[in-house]
Amino acid sequence: MKLPRPSPKALLAAGIVIVVVMSGLGVSTAYAYAGDIPRGTTVLGVDIGAMTRAEATAALEATLAEHADQLAAPVSVQVAEAQGELDPAEIGLAVDVAATVEKAANGSRSLLPFLAGDREVAPVVRVDAEALDERLRELADDVGEAMTMPEITFDGTEPVPVYPAPGLGLDADRSAEVLTAAWPPIGTGDWIAPQTIAIPLVEINPVTTAEEVDRLIAELARPAVAAPVTVELGEAGSFEIPPAAIARSLKLTADDRGEIIPRVDSEALRDALADQLAEVEDEPVDATVVLDGGEPVVVDGEDGTQVDTESLAGDLLGVLPAAAPRTVEAATTTVEPELTTAEVEDLGIVEQVSTFTTYFDGGLSSPRSQNIVRVSEMVDGALVLPGETFSLNGHTGERGYEQGFQDAPVILGGRLQPGVGGGISQFTTTLFNAAYYAGLEDVEHHPHSYHYSRYPAVIESTIFYPDLDMKFRNNTDYGVLIDTSYTDGSITVSMWSTRIWDEIKTEWSPKRNITKPERMYVDPGPDCIETVGIDGFTQDAYRIFIQDGREVRREKFTWRYDAQPEVICGEAPDEDEDR
């Protein structure tokens, strides 16, 4: 069927209608978009429609300023069962006014705002996602379920995989998204009572997959320990890194994201190669002070050489996937001593500042005397730097048969019995008094349970590894050299430094609270050592510091001695016979 053609009058009328409508639409559009922001646009309940960007910015900033206290208030959050509060300032939580205005201005340019009414634009909220994540983890450290981190360890030289598994935890971006969508609680221009914001837990997966663990075993872990690696040192020679040392130092553990990043631990490599490195390295020798003809003389230190295991670790990693033979080059570095000649010369060790001697019986052949000599040899020549604390236990380490000590009488169970290292308390007392009369700071000492006349009362010290120690601190600006010497009946300890005090002397109080010894009968045998018994008492000793002829300070030491029992090796007599 053929449609009739519109008449010229109809076409003219339609054209007039279109022009009128289009003209009206133009007027409407112009009305809707007066200013930079479409009419009817609100943000946080503030009408910014028909405003310029500058006007809209000022209006929003004014509203936010009105609610400044509320915007700075802690934000209540909940992660699973854990609840806490976040300080907006600590996590950078704030409304980005400029971005919000731009978002409102660049909204849809259709007629919808004009035809459909108000248009609410959500504010652009910024937050430091990393800081937020850190705070949330502090609040909810125990919630969720940890990922099983991938790892490859070694059982000897056999790779052992740990495959990854997902966990349930926080995702920094998702947490930031949820928090910024719910904050700030402002609507229609008014503050709304804030609600607790629930931060979701999401499934989290380690970056390294099970397939990648298998690939690392096949391409790195197994080839790494299949054969040794030769290390060339140039003129210094060469050595081999055995598979066991490679296994100890190759680390295939995951970072916080669950990604395995292979590395060779240089410290573990050095420990694993202790024997090999000992053959090619020279240890540095510290400078020190010795006595030569009764005068202190500085002995120069010596540089050492050391394999650069830090660089070697990186180069070694590069060849571990390769098949044998494998070779890497390594450099040696010069290592200065910890204590250089110049540093020792500056210590001011120029004169003897104290000396103390105690005496013993039996000559040098007795086990007790040999123990005294052995410990004195270990301490002889020790340097104590300014501010350092000297520990006798720390300096000698454990004192047992392997260190050359023998059985001699010690106080055990309230009486003398044989024990390894017996007698070294005499050296300890001698050392303590040398430090005491040098004016050095007493840090720790323990007088004996019983008083023996060979020691000065109160200012004496026993020792027992590791529980009882003797320590003093060099509280001067100068170094201290400990010098020990002995004869067949005495042990002497001297301190060399720079004299601080003109004199240090001791005054004792009278003895008080005197107690008498009891008699004890002990079965005869090698563990029974007879004693005549010693009175117990309490006494004070005062260390007096003299400078320019006058007393400038005194320190009080007090000790209570028990009465040492009279020990008789044999059976106790019957009461009738005793009468």
Side-chain angles (χ1 to χ4, degrees):
M1 182 178 66
K2 187 175 182 182
L3 295 174
R5 294 183 61 175
S7 67
K9 289 184 178 181
L11 289 174
L12 177 61
I16 292 172
V17 170
I18 291 172
V19 170
V20 171
V21 170
M22 293 302 295
S23 175
L25 287 175
V27 172
S28 300
T29 302
Y31 172 80
Y33 286 95
D36 296 325
I37 314 298
R39 290 185 185 278
T41 300
T42 59
V43 176
L44 297 174
V46 179
D47 185 356
I48 60 172
M51 293 184 180
T52 64
R53 284 177 169 81
E55 291 169 338
T57 297
L60 286 176
E61 287 180 343
T63 296
L64 295 175
E66 291 176 8
H67 298 291
D69 291 342
Q70 294 97 326
L71 291 170
V75 180
S76 177
V77 295
Q78 179 168 349
V79 184
E81 298 80 16
Q83 286 189 323
E85 292 184 334
L86 303 175
D87 183 345
E90 288 183 358
I91 59 175
L93 183 63
V95 174
D96 188 332
V97 174
T100 300
V101 170
E102 197 62 29
K103 176 183 176 182
N106 293 331
S108 171
R109 306 298 292 184
S110 71
L111 292 179
L112 287 178
F114 178 67
L115 300 176
D118 290 343
R119 166 175 164 262
E120 178 68 24
V121 174
V124 177
V125 178
R126 305 294 189 195
V127 69
D128 184 334
E130 185 176 337
L132 171 62
D133 190 59
E134 183 177 339
R135 279 294 290 125
L136 289 174
R137 291 181 191 279
E138 292 174 3
L139 293 173
D141 185 47
D142 297 328
V143 303
E145 182 180 339
M147 297 183 290
T148 299
M149 293 299 195
E151 182 179 15
I152 301 170
T153 59
F154 288 90
D155 181 4
T157 56
E158 179 63 27
V160 179
V162 175
Y163 292 106
L168 195 64
L170 293 164
D171 177 81
D173 292 337
R174 179 61 177 150
S175 299
E177 180 184 338
V178 171
L179 181 67
T180 55
W183 188 91
I186 298 177
T188 64
D190 295 321
W191 184 261
I192 302 172
Q195 302 295 314
T196 297
I197 301 173
I199 305 296
L201 296 176
V202 299
E203 183 176 280
I204 49 178
N205 288 277
V207 174
T208 298
T209 64
E211 291 75 17
E212 289 172 323
V213 170
D214 288 335
R215 180 184 60 79
L216 282 169
I217 289 177
E219 297 180 4
L220 175 58
R222 289 195 187 282
V225 295
V229 175
T230 300
V231 180
E232 296 287 353
L233 296 172
E235 294 182 359
S238 64
F239 65 92
E240 280 193 345
I241 305 177
I246 296 172
R248 286 176 57 184
S249 56
L250 178 57
K251 304 302 178 183
L252 298 168
T253 54
D255 60 15
D256 291 341
R257 302 180 307 118
E259 181 179 9
I260 294 180
I261 301 176
R263 65 184 181 89
V264 174
D265 186 319
S266 61
E267 292 186 5
L269 181 63
R270 172 163 287 279
D271 290 341
L273 293 175
D275 293 340
Q276 290 86 346
L277 294 176
E279 298 294 326
V280 297
E281 293 184 337
D282 294 316
E283 291 296 324
V285 179
D286 284 347
T288 189
V289 177
V290 299
L291 296 179
D292 185 2
E295 295 293 329
V297 176
V298 174
V299 178
D300 291 339
E302 296 179 8
D303 290 341
T305 58
Q306 190 175 81
V307 174
D308 185 352
T309 48
E310 186 170 349
S311 296
L312 174 59
D315 294 338
L316 177 62
L317 183 63
V319 304
L320 290 182
R326 301 173 296 186
T327 302
V328 293
E329 295 183 358
T332 57
T333 59
T334 298
V335 182
E336 288 190 350
E338 291 186 10
L339 200 56
T340 66
T341 300
E343 289 170 334
V344 171
E345 289 174 342
D346 289 340
L347 290 177
I349 300 174
V350 296
E351 60 188 326
Q352 187 183 93
V353 296
S354 71
T355 187
F356 198 82
T357 300
T358 60
Y359 300 89
F360 53 83
D361 298 324
L364 294 179
S365 60
S366 73
R368 184 179 186 277
S369 300
Q370 292 181 29
N371 289 337
I372 295 172
V373 169
R374 178 72 187 101
V375 70
S376 72
E377 291 173 339
M378 297 173 78
V379 174
D380 187 39
L383 278 179
V384 187
L385 302 182
E388 280 190 348
T389 295
F390 179 88
S391 159
L392 184 53
N393 279 342
H395 184 82
T396 67
E398 187 172 3
R399 298 172 294 271
Y401 301 120
E402 293 182 358
Q403 290 75 32
F405 293 93
Q406 304 178 42
D407 284 333
V410 297
I411 299 174
L412 293 173
R415 62 185 179 88
L416 289 178
Q417 299 184 56
V420 63
I424 62 174
S425 288
Q426 176 148 1
F427 175 81
T428 307
T429 289
T430 312
L431 176 65
F432 171 77
N433 274 267
Y436 173 97
Y437 284 106
L440 301 174
E441 179 184 340
D442 172 37
V443 175
E444 178 184 349
H445 81 283
H446 305 271
H448 287 78
S449 303
Y450 312 129
H451 178 247
Y452 298 103
S453 59
R454 59 180 173 266
Y455 305 143
V458 182
I459 52 172
E460 49 93 6
S461 182
T462 186
I463 196 166
F464 190 84
Y465 187 92
D467 302 315
L468 303 180
D469 199 359
M470 198 288 287
K471 299 178 183 178
F472 66 87
R473 191 175 79 88
N474 179 4
N475 56 336
T476 76
D477 295 330
Y478 306 98
V480 172
L481 169 68
I482 304 176
D483 175 61
T484 70
S485 60
Y486 58 88
T487 69
D488 60 359
S490 69
I491 180 70
T492 298
V493 178
S494 303
M495 300 288 183
W496 291 73
S497 185
T498 291
R499 186 174 296 278
I500 301 296
W501 306 101
D502 291 347
E503 182 186 3
I504 291 178
K505 61 183 183 179
T506 302
E507 292 181 359
W508 282 269
S509 72
K511 296 177 181 178
R512 60 186 184 275
N513 303 326
I514 297 174
T515 57
K516 294 298 180 179
E518 296 181 353
R519 178 175 296 174
M520 177 185 298
Y521 291 91
V522 178
D523 292 339
D527 290 341
C528 181
I529 299 175
E530 290 194 340
T531 54
V532 297
I534 303 174
D535 288 353
F537 59 90
T538 300
Q539 194 170 20
D540 305 318
Y542 297 88
R543 177 161 64 161
I544 301 172
F545 297 78
I546 307 295
Q547 191 71 282
D548 298 327
R550 64 185 182 86
E551 178 183 328
V552 295
R553 193 170 92 224
R554 66 169 48 202
E555 293 176 347
K556 181 180 180 181
F557 297 82
T558 302
W559 190 248
R560 167 68 195 170
Y561 289 105
D562 297 329
Q564 184 184 44
E566 176 189 1
V567 176
I568 298 174
C569 297
E571 294 183 1
D574 293 336
E575 291 185 5
D576 291 340
E577 294 179 2
D578 196 33
R579 292 193 195 97

